[in-house]
Structures are given as structure tokens and as C-alpha cells.
Amino acid sequence: MVEKVSILSSAGTVSRARLHRLANALINKGIEVHIWAPGKSSDAPSGAIFHKTINGKSKIHRVIRDLALPFFATGDAILTISPDIVPMSYLAAKVKRMKLITDINEDYLKLLKDRSWAKGLIGNIAKTVAWSANQIAAKSDLLVVADTQVPPFKAKRRLVIKNLPDSSMIPDGGELDKTPRAIYIGDIRKTRGLYSMLRLAELAPKWEFDLIGPIASEDANYVSQWIKNSPASSRVKFHGGLAPNKSWQFAKGAWVGLTLLEPTPAFIEAVPSKLYEYSFAGLAVISSPLPRCVDLINQSGGGAIVQSDEAAASILNSWAQNQDALLNMRRKSKIWATQTLNPDAHYLHFSEEVAKL
């Protein structure tokens, strides 16, 4: 019986939404949760015990965390959130006689194809780490994956826990702000729709935009130049990476949630977690035409699929003039999420599987 879990994250900070969802599920089950991750204690899930680690985004900082954190873990089980910490966590779990729970949030090998830095020697090392993480994850006491298409597919014990909204973190969108406002919550980079969102701001002059999340280093210069040169820059606010409960405060009064991911190898089969979350908050959704996003929005009737930035701007501009269609979509979005997703049961299933290891 597992009563105490140490959550380890080397690459992502303690403010990661996936970490919060899984930690909250365990805490709600009465399991004691300790977290070892970079970041601030104020960004940790409420009820968890946060342990300060070596912060820093450099590769040397990550390597130190990869090697050291698993041996600081205490309790009955280790839950890994970052792929690069999996190999040493497997060893530490054996030495310390703890259960190993490995969480695989994305298809990391496909994700590396999206990263400009993942080439040459560095790219080969990253691919080796991702491959090794998958091999070891399959041997863990419990493998947790974020969706059906995420490998490894053969494992000792495999559990699909999708990134459904945590009801404790998502407020209702409520009444619309007087000024039309769109939000995006997540990593901010080109492949996740950064360039499209900035172009959209220029094409929809009545709208304001709140972009919440860390900006990828390779796109930081582009953002800096855009802010300096674009006439729309005063209507776009970059808020940086925030803990989920702080990020989702921006949903209050927002009209629309944006999910404009590019059809990269990692995203073509995926459902962005924010699509579920926007709907749960009662926002209308504007999405790029990823196949599963198309299916879900067709089911809910709570948003629009757009093939171009110009098409997205046309929709926003029409909603700014006439809110009826928008309000109808928001209503359908909320109803669909409430009646279909059932996130509380979803996360209870996860915590029960952990507890009985």
C-alpha cells in the first residue's frame, strides 16, 4: 500500500500543470506528496511538501538534478515527471526498495523532431535519453501515459491518464469582459502557434490577448522584435510561466481560448490539454485543424476550426461585432465538458492505482 510519494521533475518546474494534476489527485486520496523540482515553493500544489533543488535551465543544472534528485526521494514510491530523470530513478528505486511510477506526458522522440536544437551530437544524446526513458518506463511498477498514442505501448502495467482539467484549478469564465479578449495558456513557441497568435492580434484590432507561459529560448528574439515593431504589441500581454491556479485566473471574463498548434509529428495525433480546459471554463475555442481537435470541437459545437490566421481573424472580428454566435458556442462548450469529461473520476482512478501498488 502506497502512502507517501516523491514526485521528481528535472526539466520542468514545479509549476507544470501535469505535475499539479497528478499531485492533486494523490493528495485528494490522502497520500502524502513530496516534490523535488526546480521552481518556487509558492508555485507548488497546495498540500504538497516542496523541497528546494538546484534551479537553473542550463544543461549542467539538469544533469545534476537527473543524477541527484532520485536519491533524495523518500516514501513508498517515486513518480517521475521528466524523461531524463527516469534512468537514475529506476536505479534509486531498486536501491531504496521503492516503487517506480513513470509518467510519460508526450511522445518525446517525435517531440524532438520539433526542436531546432535537437540536431548533431546534442540531438543524438537527447534521442538516446528519450529512447532509454521509454525502455525503462516499460519496466516500471506503473507506467502512466498522457494519451492513447503515447509510447511505450507494451509495459508491465500501463495506465492512460489524459490531461483532463483539474476542477480545483479551472474557474468558470463567467460574464464576458467589455473588451474582447482571447487567452492562451501553455508553452509559448512557434510550433504551438506563437507566430499565428501574434499575426492574429494584428488582424483583429478590437481584441486583447493574454499569453501565459514560458517563451521558448529559440523564439525569444522573435517576440522581442515583434513587441518593438508591431502596432498590435500594446494589446498582447506576455505573463510568463505561472502556476496553474494563477494561470487560469485569466479565464475569468475571457471570450475565447486559442489552440493553434502546428501539425508537427508530435502534435498531429494529440489533443492539447488546453482544449479540454477552455471548454471546462466555458470558453469558446479556436483551433488549428489537428484531426482530434476537429473531432472534439465537432462533438461539442463549442468552437471553430480555422485553416489560416486570416480565417481566425475573420471569426474574431465577427464575434466582436455580434456576440450571439460566440455565446452559443460558449454554452455548448461548457455543457459538453461538464457532461462528457468527468475529470474527478479520471484522477480518482489514477490515485487508486497508485495507492494499491
Side-chain angles (χ1 to χ4, degrees):
M1 182 75 175
V2 170
E3 297 179 344
K4 180 179 177 180
V5 173
S6 285
I7 298 179
L8 310 181
S9 178
S10 175
T13 69
V14 71
S15 64
R16 275 187 69 179
R18 176 78 173 178
L19 185 154
H20 276 246
R21 296 185 197 105
L22 299 183
N24 286 343
L26 297 176
I27 292 167
N28 290 338
K29 182 65 177 174
I31 295 173
E32 184 177 330
V33 173
H34 291 247
I35 299 175
W36 306 81
K40 302 178 295 185
S41 60
S42 59
D43 288 339
S46 177
I49 300 167
F50 177 71
H51 300 270
K52 187 176 181 179
T53 66
I54 297 173
N55 285 328
K57 297 181 180 180
S58 71
K59 290 181 176 59
I60 187 62
H61 286 111
R62 286 181 59 169
V63 169
I64 292 172
R65 290 193 293 266
D66 291 341
L67 297 175
L69 293 188
F71 292 96
F72 285 101
T74 60
D76 305 305
I78 293 173
L79 168 57
T80 64
I81 301 293
S82 305
D84 42 346
I85 208 169
V86 170
M88 198 57 69
S89 296
Y90 180 80
L91 177 60
K94 292 293 184 185
V95 171
K96 297 161 79 72
R97 295 184 178 180
M98 299 171 70
K99 298 294 184 181
L100 178 63
I101 307 161
T102 306
D103 178 61
I104 304 292
N105 189 34
E106 299 184 85
D107 187 334
Y108 295 118
L109 286 169
K110 286 185 178 178
L111 190 66
L112 288 172
K113 295 178 181 179
D114 300 343
R115 301 294 189 254
S116 59
W117 56 265
K119 295 179 175 59
L121 178 61
I122 296 296
N124 288 332
I125 292 173
K127 290 171 188 174
T128 300
V129 170
W131 180 87
S132 299
N134 280 350
Q135 299 303 306
I136 295 171
K139 300 176 183 178
S140 58
D141 297 286
L142 179 63
L143 167 66
V144 182
V145 294
D147 212 334
T148 53
Q149 85 283 357
V150 176
F153 302 105
K154 293 183 179 180
K156 181 178 177 181
R157 196 171 178 185
R158 186 174 187 266
L159 181 66
V160 177
I161 297 297
K162 296 181 180 181
N163 282 315
L164 298 185
D166 183 328
S167 57
S168 69
M169 300 191 302
I170 312 292
D172 187 271
E175 294 186 6
L176 302 180
D177 286 349
K178 290 184 179 179
T179 301
R181 182 166 60 88
I183 65 169
Y184 167 84
I185 299 175
D187 288 345
I188 297 176
R189 60 176 68 244
K190 180 180 181 296
T191 55
R192 291 183 181 266
L194 168 61
Y195 292 13
S196 289
M197 290 187 288
L198 297 184
R199 178 63 176 152
L200 188 52
E202 294 176 338
L203 296 172
K206 293 185 178 180
W207 284 74
E208 294 180 351
F209 297 78
D210 285 307
L211 308 186
I212 304 101
I215 300 172
S217 57
E218 59 265 36
D219 293 314
N221 185 61
Y222 181 91
V223 170
S224 178
Q225 291 301 312
W226 185 88
I227 291 173
K228 187 182 298 184
N229 298 319
S230 175
S233 62
S234 63
R235 292 183 288 104
V236 178
K237 297 180 179 127
F238 291 89
H239 298 277
L242 301 174
N245 60 335
K246 297 174 184 175
S247 297
W248 284 102
Q249 292 305 306
F250 288 95
K252 294 179 179 178
W255 291 34
V256 170
L258 302 174
T259 171
L260 300 175
L261 279 66
E262 296 181 356
T264 67
F267 297 154
I268 194 68
E269 297 178 350
V271 177
S273 60
K274 58 193 68 54
L275 189 153
Y276 296 129
E277 292 167 318
Y278 294 150
S279 295
F280 199 80
L283 306 185
V285 181
I286 290 185
S287 172
S288 51
L290 299 181
R292 294 178 69 192
C293 294
V294 172
D295 289 343
L296 289 177
I297 289 177
N298 284 341
Q299 287 176 36
S300 71
I305 300 295
V306 294
Q307 302 288 341
S308 66
D309 302 339
E310 289 74 16
S314 177
I315 290 172
L316 290 186
N317 289 329
S318 69
W319 287 345
Q321 294 293 332
N322 186 343
Q323 299 176 17
D324 291 344
L326 169 70
L327 292 171
N328 185 46
M329 284 186 176
R330 284 168 58 92
R331 189 186 78 257
K332 289 181 178 179
S333 186
K334 182 69 174 181
I335 291 172
W336 172 81
T338 302
Q339 295 181 348
T340 305
L341 298 182
N342 197 11
D344 292 345
H346 186 70
Y347 289 113
L348 177 60
H349 179 51
F350 162 71
S351 63
E352 288 177 338
E353 290 296 308
V354 170
K356 69 185 183 183
L357 283 176

